[in-house]
Every structure is written in C-alpha cells, then in structure tokens.
Amino acid sequence: MRTSAPLAAVLALAASMAAAGERATIPALPGVVVNPEPAAVADFTLTDQGGKPLAFSSLRGSPVLVFFGFTHCPNVCPTTLGQLKLLHEAEGGSLRAARILFISVDGDRDTPARLASYLKPVSSGITGLTGDPKDTAQIAARFAAVFFREPPGKDGGYNVMHSTQVYAVDKAGRLRATFNDASIEAMAKVTGLLLSEPG
C-alpha cells in the first residue's frame, strides 16, 4: 500500500505533534471508534507461542494491536489475521514497529505449540498468547471484549463465539481506539499516528 495524500498529511501533522510531545488526535474514520478518555490497560501475563510468559506491560514503548480469537475459528480469525498481516506490510513496512497480539479465547485447546503452528504460515510478526480461559475472560473485559463457548456437538467439538474487534493500544499502554470492521487504510492511519507519538 502506498501512502495516500490524505494519509501523508495526517502523518506529517502527527509527527509535528510528537515533536512537541503531544498526543496525536485520532480523526473520525469509518469503522474506528475513538476512546475519548483513554486509560492504561491493567497489566496481565499470558504464555506466548514459544511457551514463555509475556507481560503486557513489557510491550510499553510500542503501540499494540490486540485481537481475541482462537485457532479453530472457521472464518473471522483467519480473515482478521490476514488483514493484520497486510497492515504490517503497508506503508513499505513502516508499521511493523507496532506489535500485534492474538489472544486465544480457547486456552483449553490452544496450547503454545498449537498457536505456533497456526501463526507460522500467517506471519512471524504476530505474537500468540494463551492461558486459562477464566483469566482470559478477565483480560478481555478490560478491552470490553467478550467470548463464550457454545455447547459441544456430538463429536465433542465446540465453537467459541467472540468479539471481532481489534483494539489499538498506544505506547503508554492506553486503549485509544477500537477497529470495528475498519479498512486496512483506516487501521494504518491510526497505527501510524500511534507510532508517531513520543514513547
């Protein structure tokens, strides 16, 4: 994706604000819900796809895009992860400094090894996290996300219904915006603004 003239103007303005130490103003964009009073997301620790604990607070200094899903998801998760991969590739790769977290809502099946296998063909730039579903439910609530397991079928398999939004957190760990079926260009604009802010 090449930078459009409007996006270039937005990023230029954001850069000047960052130089002045100001927080960027996220513009009104289709599919983007701006948090008018951003507050830091309470810290949490889950296990990454390498089997190591990862504290959310350790990501401070970089914007983070958070998505809740699971590896057995039939359509929403593959589509969203594909979009996030394209986002990382947008603007000549300049948005790769933003971290992407895929938090499993199916900790009973999504082991670290399962996450690693699932994410490897998608993108090496996406970090998978898993843990006890009860803990994950509390974490999801901090983003106003929800999920629940549906009754199992005759074969014992089950589906997990979950929020489909992507949550944009700034360098200070504050939830700044929510992407609700936003275009890649809109997500790129917001991510670029968050990257331009002082860390």
Side-chain angles (χ1 to χ4, degrees):
M1 181 193 296
R2 289 185 298 178
T3 304
S4 64
L7 175 55
V10 168
L11 295 180
L13 175 60
S16 65
M17 294 179 69
E22 298 177 25
R23 190 173 72 194
T25 299
I26 299 174
L29 298 166
V32 178
V33 179
V34 179
N35 186 354
E37 297 182 7
V41 177
D43 197 19
F44 60 86
T45 298
L46 289 170
T47 303
D48 70 16
Q49 70 262 49
K52 298 179 181 179
L54 186 145
F56 189 63
S57 59
S58 70
L59 305 178
R60 295 283 175 90
S62 298
V64 184
L65 304 179
V66 180
F67 175 63
F68 292 87
F70 66 116
T71 64
H72 289 81
C73 184
N75 43 46
V76 172
C77 295
T79 298
T80 303
L81 290 172
Q83 291 174 325
L84 292 172
K85 177 184 178 182
L86 290 175
L87 176 69
H88 256 180
E89 296 170 352
E91 307 305 325
S94 63
L95 304 179
R96 287 196 184 106
R99 301 290 300 271
I100 297 176
L101 294 186
F102 175 64
I103 300 180
S104 173
V105 296
D106 188 16
D108 291 332
R109 291 185 295 188
D110 285 346
T111 62
R114 169 73 185 175
L115 281 176
S117 175
Y118 181 75
L119 293 173
K120 184 176 181 180
V122 179
S123 174
S124 60
I126 299 175
T127 300
L129 295 176
T130 189
D132 185 291
K134 292 180 180 178
D135 295 335
T136 305
Q138 294 178 354
I139 294 166
R142 298 170 195 176
F143 294 87
V146 295
F147 65 89
F148 63 91
R149 182 189 296 188
E150 294 185 329
K154 293 181 180 179
D155 62 354
Y158 59 87
N159 185 39
V160 182
M161 298 298 292
H162 61 92
S163 299
T164 60
Q165 292 86 354
V166 174
Y167 304 92
V169 178
D170 67 15
K171 295 177 181 179
R174 298 170 298 194
L175 179 58
R176 295 283 293 282
T178 300
F179 301 143
N180 187 10
D181 199 26
S183 68
I184 293 173
E185 184 175 25
M187 291 192 292
K189 286 181 180 179
V190 175
T191 303
L193 287 170
L194 297 182
L195 279 167
S196 73
E197 293 180 336

